[in-house]
Structures are given as structure tokens and as C-alpha cells.
């Protein structure tokens, strides 16, 4: 029985040795690591304790701290790294089972300078490793790890790319099980930032089917943290707001087209300012949903935008308040000289996001899709144009845009919009798009009560007339089919009035007579109403809609001002253009007869129908010629009725009936003015009566005729304040010389 006693003693000694080793070896290992750490990794390491207990199956390191090289700054630390398992069983059977693997209170201090990190030297220890073929294993190692947990983690990340460090708090990672029998691994992750941001979620990897999945819930993310990335390509001064995101992604990591995605986003209090602190964009709230993107099928949920407030300003130097902030550099790969690209790293997540949105856009156009609704509420656009001598500012408020549900199978995608135009006018619009071909559209636009004086800075500079008054209503009905546009546009302007021409205007413009055109185009109610149809082929590169509209309006203004009589004649059925252009008398006629009264009546009707017009009556007869006729008449009266000062009607008829070359009258004139027989009879008459006398009497005749004409106009209903007599310029009367009368020169009646 001696060998039994020896075996028992040996067993006891072995147990004692193992017990001593269990306690003493971790202590020696701890001291050994602490003593040699700086030589190995150039970093001081301290360890609270090491536990290696094969009896209880507990293996752990407590109180681990590693410092930065030659510094008291902590590099990595944790309060516990441990696991429980039966090592003996693993050695005996080749099946390794572990449980309760945990990393408690880990801390990581990460510093980045360019592409170098404070742990780059550790990755480079020993130089580049030679690639070796793994030896073939005769049997697969089996393992099971259950209850994996990282808790209470912290990360301090300092980078020259960031304006301030990022501090991650309360980092936690958990996994129920990892096993060689199952290729699927699932983890849950959570972390927070010191500003209150919280990220929770999980991810899955399945190596058998080569798929991964990510679930993430971001809460209270402060957008100010992304300002440095935005400033890579956009010189923003400040960025604020909070963001919540829910994301679910599942995809094969070997086939990027096999993607299933759903997302929710909630953004609140967005505020973007430029480098001078000027307002660029505010957004009260944005909620968006992307329900699913599976293969070639996309389901877009609700997009709800509330309180979007944007400012767009054209600056005096020709730039605008947005593009001037873009950081652009010459594109060396561009075919055209002067092409510019954004000066930002391709890893900037704003650019990555833009590329992803572009990808989704192409996926929408190339895939089957449906969209629930898009709503923009309580929007505002502040527009400024500082390129003009007088700055232009316009405020569009209460913007409401709604797109109803549609899909690639829908017959139409309806969109409606409305807005308030600078506190007075209203805009209402609706559109029907063809989801199969968005180029096919039916568009209805109605603008009401648009106050034109707000557009005065533009009208002054580009039309050389102040915009004194006017209220615009605009209605447009447009259909586009297969590239062909058919647009019917109606403009109605009430109280349209321009100020007098000014000298400060764009030197490149042709100054149009807008005041006169407005007066001519107004109807009896003072309203200008125009129909401007537009038809054409949008596929024609030479076809442009707005130049056509402008050309129609320009031609209308020019024709109205150049030929006002034609426009007035078209306004009165049966009116004679000549009656609206002039009135003619026979020589020495004072009182209007039927022909003259007809012309004056038409003029009175024109003034009544066009309340914005006034008229100047310009004498067209040569005053000297009619004065000569008057002198001959007076000479005949002396010949026939000597000594009679006032002629009767019968006497006047007798005088007019006497021929100027009547032999008796000629002999009488020869007796009165001997030696003047070679002169015209009109000149002889002037000499007989005296030039001053003839001029005075002709002026009295002209005054009497004007009085009779005015009386006839007043009798026909004309407003005396809108009629005046004046001398015409040579260009105004050159083509109208002849019988006595007046040419009608139309102008604008200024308000009293």
C-alpha cells in the first residue's frame, strides 16, 4: 500500500503547488509586465491584479492602465477584463467553452494628426510581417462564448480635423453568444456624448450567407459637431440644431445591389449662418421616412417640413450669399477650362451623404417605387437683390407645398402649393406629373393681388420708369406633352401707372414708352388685360419660353405707343382711324360742322374708354397761309361791302362766293395797291390790311375755333382736364400740313 500513500502525497503536493501557482504566478506575471512594458511598447503599464484560477475557472485582469509614452496621460485603461471557462475541459476535449466575458469601464485616449494615430507605432512593432500559409488543421476548433459584455466605456478622441475633442461616454457592447457552430453573430451597442447625444442599436454578421445588418437609433445629435465637416467645402459661420435618426440596413457584403433599408429622421431647430453671422437657413422641424428599399423596390414614407426659412441674396459683386461660400478649386480633369469642383476630402461624410442621395435618386428613376406624401408647411423665402441701384427685397411667406401619394404605377402625381407674396399677394399652383415620365406635366398657376410697386427697383433700372401703382393678377394654364408646350397666360393689371421717365437706368436697354402704353391698354375701368399664348417644342434648343413672353409684351407696348390710333380704332367697332387721329376744317372755318363733330365725338369716346389718357390738340395748318386767306377774305369784304364792319350771314356767303381772281376784284386791288400785281393775292391782302392787323385777327379766329372745338368735346362728354391745345414740334406736324385742323397727340393723364 506504499505506492498509494506516495500517490496521495504527490496529489496533495500537486494541489498545493497548483494553489500556490494560482496565487503566486499572476503576481509574478503582473510584476514582469509592469517592469518590461516600456521596453516592449514604450508605454508604462500598471496592473491592479491578475486572476488565473483553474479551479473556479475565473481568468481576469483588474485595474489595468497604460500611459502615453513618457507621459502621465492615460492611453488605455479598464477596471476589469475577465472571462470564465473550463480550460482543462478544453485541453482534454478540444471544445472550448467560455461565459461571462466582460470588459468593465474601458477607457481609450485616441489622438490623430493627419493620417497618424497615437497607436500607429504599436501597429508597426516588429516591422512588416511576412505572409505565411496557415498550416492545415486536421480538425476544426470548437468554441462557445456566452454573455459577452463591455460596459461603462469611455473614449476621448482628439484630432487636428476637429475644432474640439469628442468624448464618448457610457459605451456598452453586448453579445449573447458567439459559437463556432453558428456563423451568425449579433451585438448590441450603446454610447453617449457629453452634449447629451445618444446612439443605441446593434449589428449582425452572418458569414455563412455573407450578410450583415445594422440597427441604429441616434438621439439628440447636436449638428454643431458636424460644422468642421461642412466647413471643408462651405464657409459657414455656425450650425445648430438637433437630429434624431433611426436606421435599419440589411445587405450582402459581397453584392451591394442586394440592399434592404428603412430609415426615419427627425431634425429640429436647424440654424445655419454665414461667416458674418447673416441668416442663411432656419428649419423648425423636418421629419422624413424611407420605409423600405429592397432590391429594385423603393417605398418612401412621409416627408414633413415645418418652418423652413431661407434667405437668398444676389450681392453687388455679382455673386450670391450661397455660392460665394462654396470652396471651389480648378478641376484638372475637366475638359473645359475654368471648371471648378468642391475642395473637400472624399471621406467627408457630407459628400458621402450627397453621393448616397444621388444613388437613391437614380434608384427611384430606375426602380419600382411609391411615395407617401411630401408636405412643406409655414415656409418662408427672403429674396434680396443688391445688384440694383435701389436694393430689392421680397418676402414670400406662408409657403405650403403638398405632394400626395404616387407610385410608378400611378396615372398622375399631384402637387399643390400656395404662398403669400410680400404680405399682400397670393400664389396658388397645382401640377400633375406623369410618374412614368416627369417631363409630361399639367401646371396651373394663379397669382392675385400682387402689388407692383414692390417691383419698383427692377422697373426703374430695366424700364427707366418708376412703378407708381398697379395690382397684378396672373393666371396660367400649361400642358407639356412629349416635349410640346401649350401655355395660355392671362395678365390682368388694375390701376397700372408708371412715373415719368428717369435718366438712371441700365444703359443697355431700349426705353419703351410705358406710360403711354399703359394708358392705351387700359379699358374703361382702368384695367389692362392681356392674353399671352405660348406654344412650341421644348426639345428645340433655340426655343425659350420667357423670351417669347417678353417679346410679345414688348411688341405690344411698342405698337401701342407707335400707333395708338390703330389700337384705339380696334377698341371701337366701326370707328374711323382718321377720326381718332385728327380733325380738319376748311380755311377760316370756326364752328365744327358734322364731319368735325363726328371726329370730336370719337375723340371724346376714346378718352372716356381710356381714363388713363390725355390728348394734346396740335394745330397742323400753316398760320401764315391761313392768315393770308383771312387777308384775302377781308379784302373781298371791303370790295363788296365798303364801310360795313359786321357782315351778315348772307354777306359772308357772298364774300366766300367771290372768286379770288375775279376781274373786278383784281382791278380793285390794283387800285388799292398800285405796282403789286406780280405778288400773290394773299400777300397783297396782307399788305392792304397790314401784317399786324391780319396776325391779330387770325389769332382771334384761332382762339374762337379752339373754343368751339373744346365746347364740342365737352358737349360730347370729354373731361376738360385731359384736353389741351399746344404747338406741335416739326416732327409731329410735318406729315399733316394742309387744311386747318388739329392732330391728336395722345399722352398719359397724370392723376390730380
Amino acid at each position: 500500500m506504499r505506492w498509494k500513500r506516495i500517490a496521495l502525497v504527490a496529489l496533495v503536493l500537486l494541489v498545493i503547488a497548483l494553489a500556490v501557482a494560482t496565487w503566486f504566478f499572476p503576481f509574478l506575471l503582473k510584476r514582469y509586465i509592469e517592469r518590461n512594458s516600456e521596453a516592449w511598447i514604450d508605454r508604462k503599464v500598471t496592473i491592479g491584479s491578475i486572476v488565473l484560477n483553474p479551479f473556479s475557472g475565473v481568468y481576469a485582469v483588474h485595474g489595468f492602465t497604460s500611459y502615453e509614452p513618457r507621459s502621465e496621460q492615460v492611453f488605455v485603461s479598464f477596471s476589469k477584463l475577465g472571462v470564465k471557462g473550463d480550460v482543462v475541459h478544453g485541453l482534454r476535449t478540444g471544445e472550448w467553452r467560455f461565459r461571462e466575458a466582460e470588459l468593465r469601464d474601458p477607457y481609450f485616449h485616441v489622438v490623430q494628426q493627419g493620417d497618424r494615430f497615437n497607436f500607429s507605432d504599436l501597429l508597426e512593432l516588429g516591422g512588416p510581417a511576412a505572409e505565411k500559409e496557415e498550416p492545415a488543421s486536421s480538425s476544426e476548433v470548437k468554441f462557445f462564448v456566452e454573455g459577452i459584455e463591455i460596459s461603462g466605456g469611455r473614449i476621448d478622441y482628439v484630432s487636428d480635423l476637429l475644432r474640439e475633442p469628442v468624448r464618448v461616454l457610457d459605451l456598452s457592447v453586448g453579445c449573447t453568444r458567439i459559437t463556432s457552430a453558428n456563423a451568425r453573430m449579433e451585438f448590441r451597442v450603446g454610447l453617449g456624448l457629453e452634449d447629451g447625444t445618444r446612439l443605441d442599436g446593434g449589428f449582425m454578421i452572418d458569414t455563412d450567407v455573407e450578410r450583415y445588418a445594422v440597427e441604429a437609433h441616434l438621439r439628440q445629435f447636436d449638428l454643431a459637431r458636424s460644422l468642421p465637416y461642412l466647413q471643408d467645402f462651405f464657409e459657414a459661420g455656425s450650425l445648430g440644431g438637433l437630429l434624431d435618426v433611426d436606421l435599419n440596413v440589411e445587405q450582402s457584403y459581397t453584392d451591394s445591389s442586394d440592399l434592404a433599408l428603412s430609415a426615419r429622421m427627425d431634425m429640429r431647430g436647424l440654424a445655419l449662418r454665414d461667416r458674418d453671422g447673416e441668416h442663411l437657413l432656419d428649419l423648425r422641424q423636418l421629419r422624413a421616412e424611407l420605409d423600405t428599399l429592397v432590391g429594385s423596390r423603393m417605398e418612401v414614407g412621409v416627408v414633413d417640413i415645418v418652418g423652413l426659412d431661407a434667405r437668398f441674396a444676389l450681392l453687388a459683386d455679382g455673386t450670391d450669399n450661397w455660392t460665394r461660400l462654396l470652396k471651389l478649386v480648378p478641376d484638372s480633369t475637366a475638359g473645359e477650362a475654368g471648371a471648378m469642383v468642391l475642395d473637400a476630402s472624399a471621406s467627408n461624410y457630407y459628400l458621402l451623404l450627397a453621393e448616397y442621395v444621388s444613388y437613391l435618386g437614380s434608384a427611384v428613376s430606375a426602380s419600382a417605387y411609391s411615395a407617401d406624401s411630401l408636405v412643406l408647411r409655414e415656409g418662408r423665402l427672403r429674396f434680396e437683390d443688391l445688384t440694383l441701384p435701389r436694393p430689392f427685397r421680397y418676402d414670400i411667406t406662408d409657403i405650403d407645398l403638398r405632394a400626395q401619394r404616387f407610385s410608378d404605377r400611378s396615372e398622375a402625381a399631384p402637387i399643390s402649393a400656395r404662398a403669400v407674396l410680400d404680405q399682400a399677394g397670393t400664389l396658388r399652383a397645382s401640377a400633375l406629373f406623369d410618374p412614368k415620365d416627369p417631363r409630361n406635366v399639367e401646371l396651373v398657376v394663379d397669382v392675385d393681388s400682387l402689388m407692383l410697386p414692390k417691383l419698383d427697383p427692377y422697373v426703374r433700372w430695366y424700364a427707366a420708369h418708376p412703378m407708381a401703382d398697379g395690382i397684378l393678377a396672373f393666371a396660367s394654364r400649361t400642358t407639356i406633352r412629349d416635349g410640346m408646350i401649350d401655355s395660355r397666360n392671362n395678365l390682368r393689371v388694375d390701376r397700372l401707372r408708371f412715373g415719368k421717365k428717369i435718366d438712371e437706368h441700365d444703359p443697355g436697354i431700349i426705353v419703351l414708352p410705358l406710360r403711354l402704353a399703359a394708358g392705351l391698354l387700359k379699358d374703361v375701368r382702368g384695367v389692362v388685360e392681356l392674353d399671352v399664348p405660348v406654344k412650341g417644342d421644348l426639345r428645340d434648343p433655340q426655343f425659350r419660353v420667357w423670351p417669347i413672353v417678353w417679346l410679345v409684351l414688348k411688341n405690344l407696348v411698342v405698337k401701342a405707343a407707335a400707333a395708338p390710333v390703330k389700337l384705339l380704332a380696334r377698341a371701337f367697332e366701326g370707328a374711323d382711324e382718321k377720326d381718332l387721329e385728327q380733325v380738319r376744317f376748311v380755311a377760316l372755318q370756326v364752328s365744327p360742322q358734322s364731319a368735325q363733330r363726328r371726329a370730336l365725338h370719337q375723340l371724346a369716346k376714346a378718352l372716356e374708354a381710356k381714363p388713363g389718357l390725355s390728348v394734346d390738340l396740335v394745330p397742323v395748318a400753316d398760320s401764315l397761309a391761313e392768315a393770308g386767306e383771312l387777308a384775302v377774305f377781308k379784302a373781298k369784304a371791303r370790295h363788296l361791302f365798303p364801310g360795313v364792319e359786321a357782315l351778315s350771314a348772307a354777306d359772308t356767303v357772298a364774300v366766300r362766293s367771290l372768286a379770288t381772281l375775279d376781274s373786278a376784284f383784281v382791278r380793285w386791288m390794283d387800285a388799292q395797291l398800285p405796282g403789286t400785281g406780280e405778288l400773290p393775292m394773299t400777300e397783297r391782302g396782307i399788305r392792304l390790311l397790314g401784317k399786324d392787323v391780319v396776325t391779330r385777327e387770325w389769332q382771334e379766329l384761332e382762339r374762337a375755333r379752339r373754343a368751339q372745338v373744346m365746347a364740342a368735346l365737352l358737349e360730347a362728354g370729354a373731361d376738360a382736364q385731359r384736353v389741351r391745345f399746344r404747338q406741335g414740334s416739326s416732327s409731329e406736324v410735318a406729315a399733316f400740313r394742309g387744311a386747318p385742323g388739329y392732330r391728336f397727340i395722345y399722352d398719359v393723364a397724370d392723376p390730380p
Side-chain angles (χ1 to χ4, degrees), residues 201-236:
F203 63 92
M204 176 278 295
I205 299 176
D206 192 328
T207 57
D208 273 351
V209 295
E210 299 179 326
R211 296 190 67 80
Y212 75 93
V214 175
E215 175 192 359
H217 306 280
L218 179 67
R219 294 293 181 267
Q220 299 289 322
F221 177 74
D222 188 350
L223 292 174
R225 288 191 170 275
S226 66
L227 180 61
Y229 297 94
L230 178 63
Q231 289 174 330
D232 274 356
F233 58 88
F234 188 79
E235 295 182 12

Coordinates of all heavy atoms in Angstrom, one line a residue, residues 201-236:
G201 N -28.2 50.7 -30.5 CA -28.6 49.9 -31.7 C -27.9 48.5 -31.6 O -27.5 48.0 -30.5
G202 N -27.6 48.0 -32.8 CA -27.0 46.7 -32.8 C -26.6 46.4 -34.2 O -27.0 47.1 -35.2
F203 N -25.8 45.3 -34.4 CA -25.5 44.8 -35.7 C -25.3 43.3 -35.7 O -25.1 42.7 -34.7 CB -24.2 45.5 -36.2 CG -23.0 45.2 -35.4 CD1 -22.1 44.1 -35.7 CD2 -22.6 46.0 -34.3 CE1 -21.0 43.8 -35.0 CE2 -21.5 45.7 -33.6 CZ -20.7 44.6 -33.9
M204 N -25.5 42.8 -36.9 CA -25.4 41.3 -37.1 C -24.5 41.0 -38.3 O -24.5 41.7 -39.3 CB -26.8 40.8 -37.4 CG -26.9 39.3 -37.7 SD -26.5 38.8 -39.4 CE -27.9 39.6 -40.3
I205 N -23.7 39.9 -38.1 CA -22.9 39.4 -39.2 C -23.2 37.9 -39.3 O -23.1 37.2 -38.3 CB -21.4 39.7 -39.0 CG1 -21.1 41.2 -38.8 CG2 -20.6 39.1 -40.1 CD1 -19.7 41.5 -38.5
D206 N -23.4 37.5 -40.5 CA -23.6 36.1 -40.8 C -22.7 35.7 -41.9 O -22.9 36.0 -43.1 CB -25.1 35.8 -41.2 CG -25.4 34.3 -41.2 OD1 -24.5 33.5 -41.5 OD2 -26.5 33.9 -40.9
T207 N -21.6 35.0 -41.6 CA -20.6 34.7 -42.6 C -21.0 33.5 -43.5 O -20.5 33.4 -44.6 CB -19.3 34.3 -41.9 OG1 -19.5 33.2 -41.0 CG2 -18.7 35.5 -41.1
D208 N -22.0 32.7 -43.1 CA -22.4 31.7 -44.0 C -23.1 32.2 -45.2 O -22.9 31.8 -46.3 CB -23.4 30.7 -43.2 CG -22.6 29.6 -42.5 OD1 -21.4 29.5 -42.7 OD2 -23.2 28.9 -41.7
V209 N -24.0 33.2 -45.0 CA -24.8 33.8 -46.1 C -24.2 35.1 -46.6 O -24.8 35.8 -47.4 CB -26.3 34.0 -45.7 CG1 -26.9 32.6 -45.4 CG2 -26.4 34.9 -44.5
E210 N -23.1 35.5 -46.0 CA -22.3 36.7 -46.3 C -23.2 38.0 -46.3 O -23.3 38.7 -47.2 CB -21.8 36.6 -47.7 CG -20.7 35.4 -47.9 CD -20.2 35.3 -49.3 OE1 -20.9 35.6 -50.2 OE2 -19.0 34.9 -49.4
R211 N -23.9 38.1 -45.1 CA -24.8 39.2 -45.0 C -24.5 39.9 -43.6 O -23.9 39.3 -42.7 CB -26.3 38.8 -44.9 CG -26.7 38.2 -46.2 CD -28.2 38.0 -46.2 NE -29.0 39.3 -46.2 CZ -29.2 40.1 -47.3 NH1 -28.7 39.7 -48.5 NH2 -29.8 41.2 -47.2
Y212 N -24.9 41.2 -43.6 CA -24.7 42.0 -42.4 C -26.0 42.8 -42.2 O -26.7 43.0 -43.2 CB -23.5 42.9 -42.4 CG -23.7 44.1 -43.3 CD1 -24.1 45.3 -42.7 CD2 -23.4 44.0 -44.6 CE1 -24.3 46.4 -43.5 CE2 -23.5 45.1 -45.4 CZ -24.0 46.3 -44.9 OH -24.1 47.4 -45.7
A213 N -26.3 43.2 -41.0 CA -27.4 44.1 -40.7 C -27.0 45.0 -39.6 O -26.3 44.7 -38.7 CB -28.6 43.2 -40.3
V214 N -27.6 46.2 -39.7 CA -27.3 47.3 -38.7 C -28.6 47.9 -38.3 O -29.5 48.2 -39.1 CB -26.4 48.4 -39.3 CG1 -26.2 49.5 -38.3 CG2 -25.0 47.8 -39.7
E215 N -28.8 48.1 -37.0 CA -29.9 48.8 -36.4 C -29.3 49.9 -35.6 O -28.5 49.7 -34.7 CB -30.8 47.9 -35.6 CG -31.9 48.7 -34.9 CD -32.6 47.8 -33.8 OE1 -32.2 46.6 -33.7 OE2 -33.5 48.3 -33.2
A216 N -29.7 51.2 -35.9 CA -29.1 52.3 -35.1 C -30.2 53.3 -34.8 O -31.1 53.6 -35.6 CB -28.0 53.0 -36.0
H217 N -30.1 53.9 -33.6 CA -31.0 54.9 -33.1 C -30.2 56.0 -32.5 O -29.6 55.9 -31.4 CB -31.9 54.3 -32.0 CG -32.7 53.1 -32.5 ND1 -33.8 53.1 -33.3 CD2 -32.4 51.7 -32.3 CE1 -34.2 51.9 -33.5 NE2 -33.4 51.0 -32.9
L218 N -30.1 57.1 -33.3 CA -29.3 58.3 -32.8 C -30.3 59.3 -32.2 O -31.3 59.6 -32.9 CB -28.6 58.9 -34.0 CG -27.8 60.1 -33.8 CD1 -26.6 59.8 -32.9 CD2 -27.3 60.8 -35.1
R219 N -30.0 59.8 -31.1 CA -30.9 60.8 -30.4 C -30.1 62.0 -29.9 O -29.0 61.9 -29.4 CB -31.6 60.1 -29.2 CG -32.5 59.0 -29.5 CD -33.7 59.5 -30.2 NE -34.7 58.4 -30.6 CZ -34.7 57.8 -31.7 NH1 -33.8 58.1 -32.6 NH2 -35.6 56.8 -31.9
Q220 N -30.7 63.2 -30.2 CA -30.2 64.4 -29.7 C -28.8 64.7 -30.2 O -28.0 65.3 -29.5 CB -30.2 64.4 -28.1 CG -31.6 64.3 -27.5 CD -32.5 65.5 -27.7 OE1 -32.0 66.6 -27.6 NE2 -33.8 65.3 -27.9
F221 N -28.6 64.4 -31.5 CA -27.3 64.7 -32.0 C -27.2 66.2 -32.3 O -28.0 66.8 -33.0 CB -27.0 63.9 -33.3 CG -25.7 64.3 -34.0 CD1 -24.5 63.9 -33.4 CD2 -25.7 65.0 -35.1 CE1 -23.3 64.2 -34.0 CE2 -24.5 65.4 -35.7 CZ -23.3 64.9 -35.2
D222 N -26.2 66.9 -31.8 CA -26.0 68.3 -32.0 C -25.3 68.5 -33.3 O -24.1 68.2 -33.5 CB -25.2 68.9 -30.8 CG -25.1 70.4 -30.9 OD1 -25.6 71.0 -31.9 OD2 -24.6 71.0 -29.9
L223 N -26.0 69.2 -34.2 CA -25.5 69.4 -35.6 C -24.2 70.3 -35.5 O -23.5 70.4 -36.5 CB -26.5 70.0 -36.5 CG -27.7 69.1 -36.8 CD1 -28.8 69.9 -37.6 CD2 -27.2 67.9 -37.6
A224 N -24.0 71.1 -34.5 CA -22.9 71.9 -34.4 C -21.6 71.1 -34.5 O -20.5 71.6 -34.9 CB -22.9 72.7 -33.1
R225 N -21.7 69.8 -34.1 CA -20.5 68.9 -34.1 C -20.1 68.7 -35.6 O -18.9 68.3 -35.8 CB -20.8 67.6 -33.4 CG -20.8 67.8 -31.9 CD -20.8 66.4 -31.2 NE -20.7 66.6 -29.8 CZ -19.5 66.7 -29.2 NH1 -18.4 66.7 -29.9 NH2 -19.4 66.8 -27.9
S226 N -21.0 68.8 -36.5 CA -20.6 68.5 -37.9 C -20.2 69.7 -38.6 O -19.9 69.7 -39.8 CB -21.8 67.9 -38.6 OG -22.9 68.8 -38.7
L227 N -20.1 70.9 -38.0 CA -19.7 72.1 -38.6 C -18.3 72.0 -39.3 O -18.2 72.5 -40.4 CB -19.7 73.3 -37.6 CG -19.3 74.7 -38.2 CD1 -20.3 75.1 -39.3 CD2 -19.3 75.7 -37.1
P228 N -17.3 71.4 -38.6 CA -16.0 71.4 -39.3 C -16.0 70.6 -40.6 O -15.3 70.9 -41.5 CB -15.1 70.6 -38.3 CG -15.8 70.9 -36.9 CD -17.2 70.9 -37.2
Y229 N -16.9 69.6 -40.7 CA -17.0 68.8 -41.9 C -17.7 69.7 -43.0 O -17.3 69.6 -44.2 CB -17.8 67.5 -41.7 CG -17.0 66.6 -40.8 CD1 -17.3 66.6 -39.4 CD2 -16.1 65.8 -41.2 CE1 -16.7 65.8 -38.5 CE2 -15.4 64.9 -40.3 CZ -15.7 64.9 -39.0 OH -15.0 64.1 -38.1
L230 N -18.7 70.4 -42.6 CA -19.4 71.3 -43.5 C -18.4 72.4 -44.0 O -18.4 72.8 -45.2 CB -20.6 72.0 -42.8 CG -21.4 73.0 -43.7 CD1 -22.0 72.3 -44.9 CD2 -22.5 73.6 -42.8
Q231 N -17.6 72.9 -43.1 CA -16.6 73.9 -43.5 C -15.5 73.5 -44.4 O -14.8 74.3 -44.9 CB -16.0 74.6 -42.2 CG -17.0 75.4 -41.4 CD -16.5 75.8 -40.1 OE1 -15.6 75.2 -39.5 NE2 -17.0 77.0 -39.6
D232 N -15.4 72.2 -44.6 CA -14.5 71.7 -45.6 C -14.8 72.2 -47.0 O -13.8 72.5 -47.8 CB -14.5 70.1 -45.7 CG -13.6 69.5 -44.6 OD1 -12.9 70.3 -43.9 OD2 -13.6 68.3 -44.5
F233 N -16.0 72.4 -47.3 CA -16.4 72.9 -48.6 C -17.4 74.1 -48.6 O -17.7 74.6 -49.7 CB -17.0 71.7 -49.5 CG -18.2 71.1 -48.9 CD1 -19.5 71.6 -49.1 CD2 -18.1 70.0 -48.1 CE1 -20.6 71.1 -48.6 CE2 -19.2 69.4 -47.5 CZ -20.5 69.9 -47.8
F234 N -17.8 74.5 -47.4 CA -18.8 75.6 -47.4 C -18.4 76.5 -46.1 O -18.4 76.0 -45.0 CB -20.2 75.0 -47.2 CG -21.3 76.1 -47.3 CD1 -21.7 76.5 -48.5 CD2 -21.9 76.5 -46.2 CE1 -22.7 77.5 -48.6 CE2 -22.9 77.5 -46.3 CZ -23.3 77.9 -47.5
E235 N -18.1 77.7 -46.4 CA -17.6 78.6 -45.3 C -18.8 79.1 -44.4 O -19.1 80.3 -44.3 CB -16.9 79.8 -45.9 CG -15.6 79.4 -46.6 CD -14.9 80.6 -47.2 OE1 -15.2 81.7 -46.8 OE2 -14.0 80.4 -48.0
A236 N -19.4 78.2 -43.7 CA -20.5 78.5 -42.8 C -19.8 79.1 -41.5 O -18.8 78.6 -41.1 CB -21.3 77.3 -42.5

